Amino acid sequence: MTEKFLARHTTATLRGLLDGKKPLVALIPIGSTEPHGPHLGLGTDVVISAAACVRATELFAKKGPLTAVIAPAVSYGVTECAQGFAGAVSVPAAVLTSYLSAICDGLLAQGIRHVCLVNNHLEPAHDAAVRAVLAGRGNKASVACPLTKKWAKTLDAEFKSGACHAGLYETSIMMAAAPEMVDDAIRSVLSPVPISLSKKLDAGIPTFTAMGMDLAYSGDPAAASIEEGERMIQRLAEMVVGEVREALGLAT
């Protein structure tokens, strides 16, 4: 099986992929460094993106005519909602857009046909900064993010409610993808926090603290399961494949 990770290729093996019959697609996992409750690691968002990318490469392999590799991840983003909590590291939106644009152009210059920015840090300003990369790049770039309504509706009820920061949805994915980053003893005794981030943001309440998320989580992490995590990873992978194929004018 073709090596999934771009960074593990040699220049010779990458050249072989670029010269192959199938167009090469690069997937860039994007996330943030920010608090995810007392039970999940600060790198949760990028781990979720990476898990979706890994599964997506398997789907691409089964459903031609594309080959996909996973480029090195971008683990910092616009993280203003979590200000005041230890571990919230935010970068300006313009800096993020510029950096991602340079990465995209660098990959495309190598002969990669398409770059997909796979983003699971759902802060609106961050999402906008990522999507700004698409300007002027036509079908050479796409964004796969569950904030897009067509993909959001394929995810679980907690995600749809907006009460899904380090709750059942994200915790389940982490239990399936990176259990070493889950403090299960703490997770299993956390009470549900039914605070919808999307509704609070729509109401002009900009931070976790102001929303009442005193422990930097919302949703129900104690109800999380590996089985649910596997199901959600599959849905996110289907989102990645769908966005790439749509951008390239292929049937989905």
Side-chain angles (χ1 to χ4, degrees):
M1 185 176 182
T2 301
E3 172 56 58
K4 296 182 177 75
F5 295 96
L6 179 65
R8 296 180 185 173
H9 276 278
T10 66
T11 186
T13 60
L14 179 60
R15 184 75 265 160
L17 282 182
L18 291 167
D19 292 341
K21 293 182 179 179
K22 291 185 177 182
L24 186 59
V25 172
L27 312 177
I28 305 178
I30 299 171
S32 64
T33 299
E34 68 166 6
H36 279 77
H39 61 295
L40 296 182
L42 299 172
T44 288
D45 290 340
V46 79
V47 170
I48 292 173
S49 290
C53 288
V54 169
R55 188 71 58 85
T57 64
E58 298 166 1
L59 297 180
F60 278 118
K62 292 177 181 177
K63 186 177 182 180
L66 304 170
T67 298
V69 292
I70 303 168
V74 176
S75 299
Y76 294 97
V78 183
T79 311
E80 296 299 322
C81 288
Q83 61 183 263
F85 288 94
V89 181
S90 189
V91 299
V95 172
L96 180 62
T97 300
S98 180
Y99 182 54
L100 292 175
S101 295
I103 293 171
C104 281
D105 290 342
L107 291 168
L108 293 169
Q110 295 293 309
I112 285 172
R113 175 65 182 85
H114 182 89
V115 177
C116 182
L117 306 173
V118 181
N119 173 45
N120 283 277
H121 174 49
L122 307 183
E123 191 162 328
H126 174 90
D127 178 64
V130 174
R131 292 183 187 278
V133 174
L134 301 183
R137 290 180 172 81
N139 67 357
K140 294 181 179 180
S142 61
V143 171
C145 175
L147 285 178
T148 303
K149 289 183 179 179
K150 68 180 288 187
W151 303 116
K153 69 182 183 181
T154 70
L155 300 179
D156 65 22
E158 185 185 88
F159 183 90
K160 294 172 188 175
S161 76
C164 57
H165 183 77
L168 180 152
Y169 169 75
E170 289 190 326
T171 303
S172 292
I173 295 173
M174 292 298 287
M175 289 169 67
E180 71 280 4
M181 291 177 64
V182 182
D183 188 324
D184 208 54
I186 293 177
R187 173 200 72 82
S188 63
V189 298
L190 289 174
S191 298
V193 175
I195 294 174
S196 171
L197 275 73
S198 55
K199 291 178 181 178
K200 292 292 186 181
L201 289 169
D202 287 346
I205 303 172
T207 67
F208 293 168
T209 300
M211 293 175 189
M213 291 168 52
D214 297 336
L215 295 178
Y217 80 92
S218 70
D220 190 4
S225 69
I226 294 172
E227 293 75 20
E228 176 69 359
E230 288 289 346
R231 192 170 73 88
M232 290 300 98
I233 291 170
Q234 182 68 19
R235 295 290 181 270
L236 292 174
E238 292 166 354
M239 171 189 73
V240 173
V241 173
E243 290 289 2
V244 171
R245 292 181 66 86
E246 181 176 342
L248 292 174
L250 302 172
T252 57

